[in-house]
Amino acid sequence: MSSILIIYSSTDGQTLKICQRLQAVIEQQHQVTVVSIDDIAQIDLTRFDKIVIGASIRYGHHSPLIVKFIKNNTPLLDSKPNAFFSVNVVARKPAKNSPETNPYLRKFLKRIAWKPKELEVFAGKIDYPAYKPFDRLVIRLIMWMTGGPTAPDAVVEYTDWNQVASFGDRLGKM
Ligand SMILES: Cc1cc2nc3c(=O)[nH]c(=O)nc-3n(C[C@H](O)[C@H](O)[C@H](O)COP(=O)(O)O)c2cc1C
């Protein structure tokens, strides 16, 4: 049994939901701690055997806190089995739903020195009623341009939970 830390950045809760599903899968064989990037200063990273980071995309970028954390801890991350996953709605498209084809993940990996040993991309969720008016307008416009849902009350979860469970298995074995 090893001890796995999952660090996440989530604005509307979908990345957290994915982390909780990963935790449920991995916990059958390992000890799992899930922590927000906002609380990472309180965590002793050295006591974990493996580190996983998950972050959603907002307006084209992962959270700057995640980028800063990775830049400040690259040697430590490299010293353990590690993984990164991105959550975004572009990944709802089959041509953009893998680590090799998702444009956000490709761009992100070019910006950082860390080379995660495991990578994954999950399609996220559209939840217009939960968004602030400006965000709702902008995301509806982007969806209109890219063939997604535009009804102002649309709530669509694109996340493939079987894919999440498979990734959990991979994390358990890495
Ligand atoms: C304000 C806002 C901006 C977003 N920008 C993007 C984007 O640029 N590209 C994309 O693919 N998805 C974008 N999304 C979709 C999110 O990545 C998706 O909703 C994801 O599930 C959010 O995860 P979270 O709830 O963990 O933050 C955006 C969502 C919101 C609300």
Side-chain angles (χ1 to χ4, degrees):
M1 177 183 268
S2 54
S3 165
I4 304 181
L5 176 65
I6 304 181
I7 304 164
Y8 70 90
S9 161
S10 180
T11 308
D12 295 311
Q14 192 65 10
T15 307
L16 173 58
K17 194 171 165 186
I18 290 170
C19 290
Q20 289 165 339
R21 180 80 187 107
L22 290 172
Q23 180 173 28
V25 171
I26 304 166
E27 236 169 22
Q28 293 164 19
Q29 290 178 346
H30 304 281
Q31 229 173 7
V32 183
T33 301
V34 176
V35 67
S36 163
I37 188 67
D38 297 322
D39 301 323
I40 199 64
Q42 295 152 33
I43 301 288
D44 175 8
L45 301 171
T46 60
R47 74 181 176 86
F48 295 94
D49 303 313
K50 311 177 186 183
I51 299 183
V52 179
I53 301 177
S56 60
I57 288 284
R58 277 177 88 87
Y59 294 127
H61 299 281
H62 296 106
S63 154
L65 288 180
I66 288 284
V67 178
K68 191 172 163 203
F69 175 82
I70 290 171
K71 289 192 169 163
N72 289 344
N73 293 283
T74 301
L76 180 129
L77 290 169
D78 280 335
S79 71
K80 303 170 189 279
N82 63 69
F84 179 83
F85 67 90
S86 177
V87 180
N88 53 78
V89 289
V90 159
R92 77 188 187 284
K93 303 208 166 218
K96 296 184 178 173
N97 72 355
S98 76
E100 292 75 30
T101 58
N102 187 259
Y104 298 118
L105 188 57
R106 297 318 309 161
K107 221 189 299 173
F108 181 68
L109 292 173
K110 282 187 189 146
R111 276 186 69 194
I112 55 172
W114 178 39
K115 305 258 176 280
K117 295 189 173 94
E118 293 284 344
L119 286 168
E120 195 51 281
V121 180
F122 298 113
K125 182 181 178 183
I126 290 290
D127 187 351
Y128 293 134
Y131 299 165
K132 293 181 191 142
F134 176 79
D135 290 336
R136 187 182 311 134
L137 193 71
V138 176
I139 303 301
R140 283 178 67 210
L141 182 66
I142 294 170
M143 285 298 129
W144 178 73
M145 294 189 301
T146 60
T150 52
D153 57 351
V155 178
V156 186
E157 188 178 66
Y158 293 102
T159 312
D160 176 344
W161 295 105
N162 290 329
Q163 183 197 2
V164 176
S166 304
F167 186 55
D169 285 339
R170 271 162 60 201
L171 297 179
K173 288 177 189 141
M174 75 180 178

